[in-house]
Amino acid sequence: MSPSSAGFSEKLRPLQASWSAKHPGFIHEVVSDKAAVHLISYLYASIPEIVEAYKALPEAVLKAEFFRYLILLARGGIYSDIDTAALKPANEWLPDDFGHATVGLIIGIEADVGDRADWNLWYYRRIQFCQWIIQAKPGHPVLRDVVATITEDTLRMKRDRLLKPGGLPKSIVEFTGPAMWTDAIFSYFNNPTFFDFSTRISNVSYADFSGITEQKKIGDVVVLPITSFSPGVKQMGAEEVEHRMAFVRHDFEGK
């Protein structure tokens, strides 16, 4: 449903409008669920397995999760859930000395439970990267890995007749959501194909990002602190929406 539709949620209108207001030179496109299937069929016509996997997913939330990776892999740019508000323009997300041309992926921290013993009772990962907003260059290796993983898992489950609404063999968070997204990012950080390990003394892990309050760049990936995409959540060190590092507000109104 597009913002021009009479049925578009009144709660979402100001959120959607904030993106256009903060990014007047950008092309801002809202893609409905109905339009998404046609767009994916067009963009991935040469890779029918991806289209088959997308269409086979049995729940709307799974399709929405998969869509964000697919659209960014093909087109690049910024993906954001419809229930987010832009607080600062994207060109202010990075310091001037970060070498913007060398950045291929910008992500934010959703959860930072650090070393607490019961961390797994609260989140799936000690550090969990959010995917309600992602900025990426088209074709980024993390996105290629994620799309390949979801496609393979989906087609295997389809073959084994396991794609049942509410009865999947793994949770949505692990299948298409932030847990698998986080795993793919850490896999990238620790892949010698993309990174020089000659000066490393250990793998990149949650400890490299726990408690950060500024942007941190590893290779071509910039990780933003929890305040940047989760301001106002009142936990795990997140500051309020007025903070200088608060870039996007997530209102959790649904996708």
Side-chain angles (χ1 to χ4, degrees):
M1 188 176 294
S2 71
S4 61
S5 169
F8 191 79
S9 170
E10 290 301 322
K11 287 184 178 180
L12 298 177
R13 287 186 190 279
L15 305 181
Q16 182 270 329
S18 71
W19 285 94
S20 296
K22 293 291 184 182
H23 304 87
F26 285 46
I27 297 173
H28 181 202
E29 186 175 1
V30 177
V31 182
S32 68
D33 292 342
K34 197 172 288 187
V37 65
H38 300 295
L39 182 56
I40 296 307
S41 296
Y42 167 73
L43 292 173
Y44 291 94
S46 62
I47 315 175
E49 294 86 354
I50 291 177
V51 179
E52 180 186 355
Y54 180 82
K55 291 180 176 179
L57 290 169
E59 299 180 30
V61 65
L62 294 170
K63 284 186 165 68
E65 301 270 25
F66 197 17
F67 176 81
R68 72 195 64 203
Y69 310 127
L70 291 169
I71 195 68
L72 286 172
L73 179 62
R75 288 185 170 179
I78 298 172
Y79 168 87
S80 185
D81 281 357
I82 195 67
D83 57 354
T84 61
L87 302 176
K88 287 185 173 64
N91 59 11
E92 297 181 13
W93 294 358
L94 301 183
D96 292 336
D97 61 353
F98 259 46
H100 292 210
T102 67
V103 175
L105 188 66
I106 300 176
I107 55 176
I109 292 174
E110 173 187 10
D112 179 2
V113 291
D115 289 322
R116 58 183 294 168
D118 63 346
W119 68 268
N120 59 323
L121 299 179
W122 303 95
Y123 286 92
Y124 283 78
R125 302 293 184 268
R126 290 181 187 270
I127 283 285
Q128 200 161 284
F129 299 116
C130 71
Q131 25 83 277
W132 56 71
I133 178 163
I134 305 165
Q135 182 173 339
K137 288 183 178 179
H140 195 276
V142 172
L143 294 167
R144 291 204 310 265
D145 180 35
V146 166
V147 166
T149 297
I150 295 175
T151 299
E152 290 169 6
D153 282 355
T154 302
L155 295 182
R156 176 182 50 78
M157 290 182 198
K158 180 183 178 183
R159 199 167 52 244
D160 296 340
R161 302 181 185 276
L162 297 174
L163 286 177
K164 301 173 183 177
L168 296 170
K170 59 170 69 176
S171 70
I172 292 172
V173 176
E174 296 275 8
F175 185 10
T176 57
M180 72 85 59
W181 172 240
T182 298
D183 289 349
I185 291 164
F186 277 113
S187 177
Y188 178 65
F189 284 146
N190 292 294
N191 188 335
T193 302
F194 302 108
F195 292 89
D196 179 9
F197 280 71
S198 61
T199 59
R200 286 196 190 179
I201 58 174
S202 65
N203 283 352
V204 176
S205 73
Y206 77 92
D208 290 280
F209 305 105
S210 186
I212 64 170
T213 57
E214 302 285 339
Q215 300 94 333
K216 184 165 186 175
K217 186 169 184 277
I218 296 183
D220 68 340
V221 180
V222 174
V223 177
L224 304 179
I226 193 168
T227 297
S228 295
F229 292 161
S230 300
V233 297
K234 302 186 185 302
Q235 59 178 334
M236 295 178 286
E239 303 287 350
E240 296 300 321
V241 295
E242 298 81 14
H243 194 272
R244 65 179 181 82
M245 288 298 296
F247 303 148
V248 174
R249 188 185 78 241
H250 190 205
D251 280 7
F252 299 96
E253 294 284 347
K255 296 178 176 62

